[in-house]
Amino acid sequence: MTAPGRSLPVSADPAGEPAATDVGSFGGGLRKVARVVLLDPQDRILLLHGHEPDDPADDWWFTPGGGVEGDETREEAALRELVEETGITEVELGPVLWRRVCSFPFAGRRWDQDEWYYLARTTETVIRATALTELERRSVAGSRWWTCRELTRAHETVYPTRLAELLRTLLDDGLPAGPVTLDTEIV
């Protein structure tokens, strides 16, 4: 779950990982997160509908995904989170499309994250969350498949904030040559 904000310069180490020490106000390092840009055969994207646990009116839409656990790779985290949050197991995981650093308040604390967005395709479209955490059960209200046109016209809050534009570029131009670094978002 992420939020919009102003941009900060972020440098990267030789492997392409943002350097936590360069983020300044974030303080104690970044949580590694894998997110999934899941497309169905009609090129609709799956988004989850989240909200602040104690305030359902403070809501937004976001891509499935979450934090890397233990020694798993980001690819493994992306697939695990997808199963936990959607029940979808039949996916073709593609490359990293976008990378983003973000910081936002949620559930009474600040989350500082280094997010990698993986492309994935599936023919499964029935969503069954199978293993939500207690916090997710209190803050995820459902899911929806969106066309790019619907996303472009949406008045709801969607993260990352340029998702409609990013999806349109992906569908029109194909895969980027390498991961695109998105503006840092801080709320």
Side-chain angles (χ1 to χ4, degrees):
M1 289 166 248
T2 56
R6 63 184 188 278
S7 295
L8 283 180
V10 177
S11 66
D13 70 18
E17 291 273 348
T21 56
D22 295 335
V23 184
S25 65
F26 288 1
L30 299 173
R31 176 179 183 240
K32 290 183 178 182
V33 171
R35 297 211 164 275
V36 180
V37 176
L38 185 63
L39 301 178
D40 73 359
Q42 290 78 45
D43 286 333
R44 296 180 305 169
I45 185 171
L46 179 69
L47 297 180
L48 303 179
H49 188 206
H51 59 82
E52 188 64 38
D54 296 325
D55 184 6
D58 183 3
D59 68 331
W60 56 88
W61 292 88
F62 64 103
T63 59
V68 173
E69 295 179 355
D71 62 352
E72 72 183 347
T73 66
R74 287 202 201 228
E75 293 86 355
E76 292 167 337
L79 293 171
R80 175 186 50 76
E81 287 283 343
L82 191 61
V83 171
E84 291 173 0
E85 295 176 351
T86 71
I88 294 176
T89 58
E90 299 298 319
V91 299
E92 178 184 327
L93 190 65
V96 177
L97 298 170
W98 316 308
R99 293 181 180 172
R100 176 179 85 142
V101 171
C102 60
S103 180
F104 54 92
F106 173 70
R109 65 170 276 215
R110 178 150 294 275
W111 299 75
D112 302 325
Q113 299 189 156
D114 170 24
E115 299 181 336
W116 291 17
Y117 290 78
Y118 288 87
L119 174 63
R121 291 210 172 255
T122 188
T123 58
E124 291 182 59
T125 57
V126 176
I127 308 306
R128 298 169 311 279
T130 61
L132 296 180
T133 66
E134 185 273 332
L135 180 57
E136 288 169 332
R137 284 191 301 277
R138 291 180 26 231
S139 62
V140 177
S143 61
R144 177 180 163 196
W145 291 95
W146 296 71
T147 66
C148 191
R149 184 177 192 165
E150 290 169 335
L151 199 54
T152 300
R153 294 178 173 181
H155 296 290
E156 294 92 346
T157 302
V158 177
Y159 296 117
T161 55
R162 294 178 40 228
L163 185 57
E165 172 191 338
L166 293 164
L167 181 59
R168 179 79 276 145
T169 299
L170 174 66
L171 295 176
D172 288 349
D173 300 341
L175 295 173
V180 175
T181 301
L182 305 180
D183 290 340
T184 298
E185 294 187 59
I186 300 173
V187 171

